[in-house]
């Protein structure tokens, strides 16, 4: 019997439950035990999926998405590509390099940095604002452990419609929508 089964049995007995075979209380205890077993198995699987060496299809797909590895490869090839990508140095960029890249996108685009976070400040973007360049800076120059965001409440639908961007432009720039929604 597992530890949680012993603990549940003792708690049920303390409450005066009838744990004799075929009793309602014993059936309820069995249901609780099965539920706890399912939760423990789920936790165990989740921990396994976080380790690239043990991950199965779900965890490996998430690793592929994080590292830009083609998810259509065979499982072992995906795992090898992900491990190879994770073992590489992320980048050799300095903060000034990022500031220069942002200034190249728009002179109005600035960044505030904090501990593991970078917040962009953009008073207003317009039709000549290059979202693809911004995507490249965020995805290639800023380490993945850095949270990114924009100051502001975001643009209205009318404001977005007034730009030259189409939905396919937003969809193809490789920026998360939570970032796009914060842009003003």
């Amino acid at each position: 019997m597992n530890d949680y089964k012993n603990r549940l049995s003792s708690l049920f007995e303390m409450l005066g439950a009838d744990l004799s075979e075929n009793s309602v209380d014993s059936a309820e205890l069995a249901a609780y035990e099965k539920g706890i077993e399912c939760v423990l198995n789920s936790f165990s699987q989740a921990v396994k999926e976080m380790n690239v060496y043990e991950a199965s299809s779900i965890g490996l797909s998430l690793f592929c998405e994080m590292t830009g590895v083609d998810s259509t490869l065979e499982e072992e090839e995906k795992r090898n590509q992900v491990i190879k990508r994770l073992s590489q140095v992320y980048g050799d960029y300095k903060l000034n390099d990022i500031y220069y890249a942002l200034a190249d996108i728009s002179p109005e685009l600035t960044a505030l940095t904090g501990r593991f976070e970078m917040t962009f400040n953009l008073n207003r973007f317009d039709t000549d604002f290059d979202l693809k360049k911004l995507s490249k800076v965020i995805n290639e120059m800023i380490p993945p452990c850095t949270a990114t965001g924009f100051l502001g409440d975001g643009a209205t639908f009318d404001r977005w419609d007034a730009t030259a961007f189409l939905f396919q432009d937003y969809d193809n720039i490789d920026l998360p929508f939570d970032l796009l929604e914060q842009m003003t």
Side-chain angles (χ1 to χ4, degrees):
M1 193 179 276
N2 293 331
D3 288 341
Y4 64 89
K5 289 181 181 180
N6 288 334
R7 180 75 176 132
L8 279 176
S9 295
S10 67
L11 287 172
F12 266 63
E13 287 171 358
M14 285 173 43
L15 293 171
D18 175 19
L19 296 181
S20 61
E21 194 173 329
N22 296 328
S23 71
V24 173
D25 291 337
S26 69
E28 186 177 352
L29 177 64
Y32 288 139
E33 289 172 354
K34 192 64 175 167
I36 291 171
E37 188 177 313
C38 287
V39 168
L40 290 175
N41 287 340
S42 294
F43 281 143
S44 176
Q45 184 65 30
V47 169
K48 182 179 174 187
E49 296 298 332
M50 291 188 301
N51 181 338
V52 70
Y53 294 101
E54 296 180 17
S56 64
S57 60
I58 296 168
L60 213 45
S61 294
L62 292 172
F63 275 113
C64 286
E65 187 177 327
M66 271 184 354
T67 58
V69 170
D70 181 6
S71 61
T72 61
L73 297 171
E74 293 295 320
E75 188 168 307
E76 280 309 305
E77 182 60 24
K78 276 193 283 196
R79 185 180 323 279
N80 291 336
Q81 291 291 326
V82 167
I83 291 169
K84 179 179 175 186
R85 177 65 181 105
L86 290 174
S87 67
Q88 295 173 348
V89 174
Y90 186 76
D92 192 21
Y93 298 107
K94 294 178 177 56
L95 194 52
N96 279 341
D97 296 336
I98 296 171
Y99 290 152
Y100 292 135
L102 293 175
D104 185 46
I105 296 169
S106 171
E108 293 187 24
L109 180 61
T110 59
L112 308 169
T113 56
R115 186 179 175 132
F116 298 111
E117 64 184 26
M118 181 173 279
T119 307
F120 302 106
N121 188 11
L122 179 65
N123 293 333
R124 181 180 167 98
F125 70 94
D126 50 29
T127 54
D128 60 346
F129 184 81
D130 194 339
L131 289 173
K132 281 220 182 263
K133 281 186 179 178
L134 178 61
S135 171
K136 186 173 178 156
V137 168
I138 291 173
N139 292 318
E140 294 180 12
M141 296 179 80
I142 299 173
C145 62
T146 304
T148 54
F150 278 88
L151 292 178
D153 297 328
T156 63
F157 284 114
D158 291 336
R159 174 71 186 103
W160 279 104
D161 285 342
T163 68
F165 302 122
L166 302 173
F167 177 78
Q168 67 190 25
D169 297 323
Y170 306 131
D171 200 35
N172 292 327
I173 59 171
D174 197 23
L175 270 180
F177 279 102
D178 66 326
L179 275 181
L180 288 172
E181 288 174 345
Q182 297 171 24
M183 295 175 78
T184 56

